[in-house]
Amino acid sequence: MTKQMNPSRRRTLRAAALAALAAATVALPAHAARKEPYCGNLDNAYGPYDYRKGATEFAFNLKLVESAHFTADVENGIKGRSSTLAGDLDYTLRAFPNHAVALSTVIRVAARDKKSLFLPQGNRPVECYFDRAVRFAPDDPSTHTLYGSYLLSVGRDAEALPHYQSAVQLDPDNPSTNYNMGLVYFKNKDMVNANKYAQKAYALEFPLPGLKNMLVQAGKWDPSAAPDPATLKKQAQPGDDAPAAAQDAPVADGKPAEVAKD
């Protein structure tokens, strides 16, 4: 015969279980209850548009957004035009989440105060711009590269690795992408892979010597790992349906490099 639990004891256990459940629910971030990404959904009153099509399909939209919100002063991190600097960057990246040049500006501005999760006068965590870019355009290697660049800039080297791996998978013969990959492996002390990707980057004529110098100084530079030139594909020039600035977002010598805008 099954022993019956004392009703008072049963009520006590049930109350304890409900209290634990309530505590767990409170501990969950608000976005979990909403079933929305932490950085918000991608809906926007204007767009969102694909920056890679900023020279063709969305040329008018890109010109309109940049003329009002991404002027030279904004790009160079000096001041905003229609709002604060953070406000204009936010508008630009809500309309064009994978705007490679604007994302590069975010990295540079955020680097001024690495202790803050926000841009000055901003109301969205800096990392959210990269999270949103990757969610919007997961097939765009520049979004992964820039996310990795941001993570490197704040010392989160191990977390940067999968983003660079994604970029290399999407664009295996891009010299900047291979350089970035080699750099992040070097920072994670994987010298074999650091050299492997460095050799490929330089075989593809990447111009900056920083990674090579680092490997030489560490005694890990090994030209025998260089790929057969016959296996390399010539890097395509910027396409008609992508602004030139979106092609590469290199990290030079461990620091996010400025992405030049045509």
Side-chain angles (χ1 to χ4, degrees):
M1 180 179 295
T2 303
K3 184 178 179 180
Q4 295 293 323
M5 182 181 292
N6 182 288
S8 177
R9 173 65 173 166
R10 185 163 52 242
R11 285 194 297 271
T12 299
L13 290 174
R14 185 182 300 164
L18 290 172
L21 178 60
T25 303
V26 170
L28 289 172
H31 71 277
R34 294 196 307 268
K35 295 184 179 180
E36 292 180 4
Y38 167 68
C39 294
N41 62 50
L42 297 168
D43 296 340
N44 196 49
Y46 193 71
Y49 304 110
D50 192 334
Y51 182 65
R52 292 169 294 179
K53 299 179 180 179
T56 53
E57 183 178 345
F58 301 127
F60 172 80
N61 310 89
L62 182 61
K63 181 178 180 180
L64 192 65
V65 168
E66 290 190 337
S67 64
H69 299 281
F70 197 67
T71 59
D73 280 346
V74 175
E75 180 183 344
N76 291 313
I78 298 171
K79 63 180 180 179
R81 183 194 183 282
S82 300
S83 178
T84 62
L85 175 60
D88 278 329
L89 285 168
D90 185 78
Y91 188 99
T92 301
L93 288 166
R94 281 187 290 112
F96 286 88
N98 61 329
H99 193 304
V101 190
L103 288 168
S104 182
T105 297
V106 168
I107 293 174
R108 296 198 311 276
V109 174
R112 297 170 186 170
D113 183 4
K114 294 183 180 180
K115 294 182 180 179
S116 177
L117 298 177
F118 299 83
L119 296 177
Q121 298 180 282
N123 57 11
R124 190 188 302 275
V126 170
E127 188 169 352
C128 281
Y129 293 112
F130 304 96
D131 170 87
R132 290 164 63 86
V134 167
R135 280 193 282 125
F136 176 75
D139 61 334
D140 182 349
S142 70
T143 65
H144 297 280
T145 296
L146 284 158
Y147 202 160
S149 297
Y150 167 71
L151 292 170
L152 280 183
S153 75
V154 294
R156 293 161 60 184
D157 300 349
E159 293 176 65
L161 182 59
H163 292 288
Y164 285 113
Q165 289 171 332
S166 294
V168 167
Q169 289 172 1
L170 289 166
D171 198 3
D173 289 308
N174 184 303
S176 296
T177 304
N178 281 278
Y179 182 91
N180 290 327
M181 188 76 261
L183 180 64
V184 76
Y185 272 124
F186 186 95
K187 285 181 169 288
N188 281 284
K189 305 186 186 305
D190 182 343
M191 298 303 177
V192 172
N193 275 315
N195 180 71
K196 171 186 171 182
Y197 285 97
Q199 295 298 333
K200 186 169 182 179
Y202 291 117
L204 290 164
E205 301 180 354
F206 187 79
L208 301 176
L211 180 56
K212 178 180 179 180
N213 292 342
M214 292 161 66
L215 286 163
V216 168
Q217 290 173 8
K220 301 298 181 180
W221 177 255
D222 180 10
S224 70
D228 181 349
T231 67
L232 301 177
K233 296 180 181 179
K234 183 180 179 181
Q235 181 64 31
Q237 295 300 311
D240 292 335
D241 57 338
Q247 300 301 314
D248 299 325
V251 174
D253 302 336
K255 298 180 181 180
E258 182 173 348
V259 181
K261 183 181 177 185
D262 286 356

